[in-house]
């Protein structure tokens, strides 16, 4: 039996709107804002420190958003931390579902997620 994170939602075709439009916006916003501020930040300020801090903050927000929100909602990524009972060793576990046509994740969401990583 396949583990489907979106069992309560219907498949999305390429002509329907996204299931999570705010998530799609957040997925693309922080990356685009960081690149644009890096390229055009000199028009707003002459301080390299301000540009560096803003770009680092935007990329940190992007990392958190992709790891905790957009990865989960758009393509079904899951991660958690396991701590061993006997030795206390910590291990980070990541579950990446296979994208198959029968799942409700949808090729459109997967394509947007992957292409958004290349911005």
């Amino acid at each position: 039996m396949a583990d489907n994170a979106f069992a309560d939602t219907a498949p999305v075709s390429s002509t329907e709107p996204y299931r999570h439009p705010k998530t799609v916006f957040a997925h693309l916003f922080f990356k685009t804002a960081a690149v644009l501020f890096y390229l055009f930040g000199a028009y707003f300020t002459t301080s390299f420190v301000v540009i560096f801090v803003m770009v680092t903050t935007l990329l940190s927000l992007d990392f958190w958003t992709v790891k905790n929100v957009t990865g989960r909602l758009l393509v079904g990524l899951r991660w958690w931390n396991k701590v061993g009972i006997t030795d206390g060793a910590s291990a980070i576990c990541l579950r990446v579902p296979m994208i198959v046509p029968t799942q409700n994740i949808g090729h459109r969401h997967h394509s947007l997620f992957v292409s958004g990583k290349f911005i």
Side-chain angles (χ1 to χ4, degrees):
M1 181 173 186
D3 183 17
N4 191 350
F6 303 103
D8 61 337
T9 59
V12 174
S13 72
S14 62
T15 59
E16 294 178 18
Y18 287 103
R19 261 186 239 126
H20 306 285
K22 292 177 185 174
T23 305
V24 170
F25 175 77
H27 182 67
L28 299 175
F29 173 75
F30 292 118
K31 288 177 212 24
T32 306
V35 169
L36 291 175
F37 198 83
Y38 177 75
L39 293 175
F40 302 112
Y43 293 114
F44 303 113
T45 181
T46 57
S47 173
F48 172 75
V49 175
V50 171
I51 295 172
F52 178 79
V53 168
M54 283 299 297
V55 169
T56 304
T57 302
L58 287 168
L59 291 176
S60 298
L61 289 170
D62 171 61
F63 175 77
W64 182 88
T65 303
V66 168
K67 182 177 71 92
N68 292 317
V69 180
T70 63
R72 179 172 293 206
L73 291 176
L74 295 180
V75 292
L77 298 176
R78 300 277 194 264
W79 72 274
W80 61 93
N81 188 16
K82 269 193 197 175
V83 178
I85 296 173
T86 58
D87 59 354
S90 179
I92 295 175
C93 301
L94 175 68
R95 183 180 67 88
V96 181
M98 295 296 295
I99 304 299
V100 294
T102 59
Q103 284 182 329
N104 292 333
I105 292 173
H107 180 70
R108 185 174 179 208
H109 287 88
H110 182 264
S111 298
L112 176 92
F113 183 80
V114 172
S115 62
K117 298 309 305 162
F118 289 106
I119 291 181

